[in-house]
Amino acid sequence: MLGVSAGLSACNTVRGAGEDVSSVGHDVSRGANATQGHITHSTGASPQ
């Protein structure tokens, strides 16, 4: 029984880490898109 609960807690830890990494990736993407939008707006360049 102890081994099962240890295995389940490890799955939750890996899942949580995966969600954290995914969240960081989404934040980076949003930041990059916002930066691109600001550059496009300030230079008058057309987005690609």
Side-chain angles (χ1 to χ4, degrees):
M1 186 60 122
L2 185 59
V4 171
S5 64
L8 289 176
S9 68
C11 288
N12 287 335
T13 301
V14 171
R15 180 178 169 209
E19 289 174 356
D20 290 344
V21 170
S22 178
S23 177
V24 169
H26 289 298
D27 290 343
V28 170
S29 293
R30 281 192 294 268
N33 289 335
T35 301
Q36 183 179 14
H38 289 294
I39 291 171
T40 300
H41 178 70
S42 66
T43 63
S46 60
Q48 295 180 351

